[in-house]
Amino acid sequence: MAGALAVCPTPIGNLDDVSPRIRETLISADFVACEDTRRTGQLLERLAIRPAPRLVSFHEGNESARAVELTQQIERGYNVALVSDAGMPAISDPGFKLIRRCIDRDLEVTVLPGPSVVPVAVVASGLPTDRWRFEGFLPRRAGEMERVLRSTETVVCFESPRRVGESLTALAAIAPDREAAVCRELTKIHEEVARGTLGELARRFRGDVKGEIVLVIGPAETGEHGQDVGFAVDALRHLVQSGARPRAAASVVAALTGTRANDLYKALTGREARR
């Protein structure tokens, strides 16, 4: 009789966030597939799980090969628990290939609820939560950043602490007045949620930043016909700050976005454009 795969989210900072069900699943597992065996070993020790199940390294570099090996163990009747260093496995962490392989072979896959930094950051940001999407890590190219800023949904993405200042500066150059939040070290001792516009946050996080970072960006405003008015106004403001004449720039942005040039000019200057 085949075993099963249990996907177990682990704490994103505070180890007390482990649920009793996850602890029982780790106790009953024959193998625990984990990114860092030392880190997972510390978690098992904190949970007083003795004797500990066999820990198997499972990371980006060996995910494909390990997925084959672990699937074979499950087919032999062993139970495997999949964990990441923090949060839900397979969400910007290894795990998808193993889960997909088990599903393709009709093996049981159970996903346990538990800690995930993504919904925590969305709620903590204070930005709209009725419609939001997860982008993984923030894209590097300017065109891709513009695509993110055009979203009419709240966007949540991961960012490296070494790049957050540079990324905020790039985003602020496109949409300085867009509401956003930088969530740092969530659930940990030095937790910080900094809220403000992208321009304000870019100035605040110019220097070195430490810890795990989640960036939440508020949605673009839309007009009655669905045009991305907020992004269009931000783009117009950026052009004017670069030296373009307001009326001419408004015409160009209107042609590109489908918004009305007069609406853009009024949003920028507070007055109607002269005919």
Side-chain angles (χ1 to χ4, degrees):
M1 185 174 180
L5 172 67
V7 182
C8 301
T10 54
I12 57 178
N14 190 324
L15 294 182
D16 292 334
D17 290 335
V18 174
S19 71
R21 185 182 174 197
I22 290 175
R23 182 178 184 275
E24 290 302 314
T25 300
L26 293 173
I27 289 175
S28 62
D30 299 298
F31 299 92
V32 175
C34 48
E35 289 184 89
D36 187 330
T37 56
R38 292 170 298 181
R39 186 163 180 170
T40 301
Q42 292 171 355
L43 175 63
L44 297 180
E45 184 176 342
R46 172 69 178 269
L47 297 175
I49 298 179
R50 302 186 186 90
R54 180 179 173 184
L55 302 182
V56 179
S57 65
F58 186 84
H59 48 75
E60 185 178 358
N62 67 5
E63 183 176 3
S64 296
R66 282 284 195 260
V68 174
E69 297 169 7
L70 290 168
T71 303
Q72 292 173 345
Q73 296 290 10
I74 295 171
E75 290 174 330
R76 295 184 184 120
Y78 293 104
N79 293 318
V80 175
L82 171 65
V83 304
S84 61
D85 285 347
M88 179 67 77
I91 303 296
S92 290
D93 277 327
F96 171 77
K97 293 180 180 179
L98 175 58
I99 295 168
R100 184 73 253 177
R101 189 174 177 85
C102 287
I103 291 172
D104 290 343
R105 282 159 176 71
D106 292 325
L107 298 172
E108 181 182 351
V109 177
T110 301
V111 181
L112 280 65
S116 174
V117 73
V118 177
V120 174
V122 172
V123 175
S125 72
L127 296 167
T129 58
D130 54 337
R131 294 175 64 239
W132 58 271
R133 77 166 191 259
F134 175 58
E135 278 282 339
F137 280 88
L138 185 69
R140 300 267 69 85
R141 295 181 179 179
E144 287 296 298
M145 285 189 176
E146 290 182 5
R147 176 184 58 79
V148 169
L149 289 172
R150 281 195 294 269
S151 173
T152 56
E153 304 166 322
T154 295
V155 176
V156 55
C157 48
F158 297 152
E159 185 53 287
S160 163
R162 296 187 298 273
R163 294 190 59 93
V164 65
E166 178 183 342
S167 294
L168 285 169
T169 298
L171 290 167
I174 303 171
D177 295 327
R178 183 70 56 83
E179 293 293 322
V182 175
C183 303
R184 187 178 68 86
E185 293 289 89
L186 288 175
T187 79
K188 302 177 184 178
I189 295 175
H190 301 292
E191 176 179 310
E192 177 187 17
V193 180
R195 306 174 183 90
T197 66
L198 285 171
E200 292 168 343
L201 293 172
R203 291 188 291 273
R204 178 169 178 172
F205 289 93
R206 281 179 176 170
D208 293 339
V209 180
K210 296 181 179 180
E212 300 291 330
I213 302 292
V214 183
L215 180 61
V216 186
I217 304 170
E221 298 178 3
T222 56
E224 58 183 67
H225 299 295
Q227 300 103 328
D228 187 350
V229 176
F231 179 80
V233 173
D234 289 335
L236 173 58
R237 183 178 293 107
H238 180 58
L239 287 173
V240 172
Q241 290 173 345
S242 299
R245 293 181 178 276
R247 291 191 189 86
S251 297
V252 171
V253 174
L256 293 173
T257 63
T259 52
R260 294 172 52 190
N262 195 55
D263 290 344
L264 293 174
Y265 185 86
K266 184 176 180 181
L268 177 69
T269 66
R271 61 183 186 273
E272 299 281 349
R274 293 180 180 177
R275 301 282 183 182

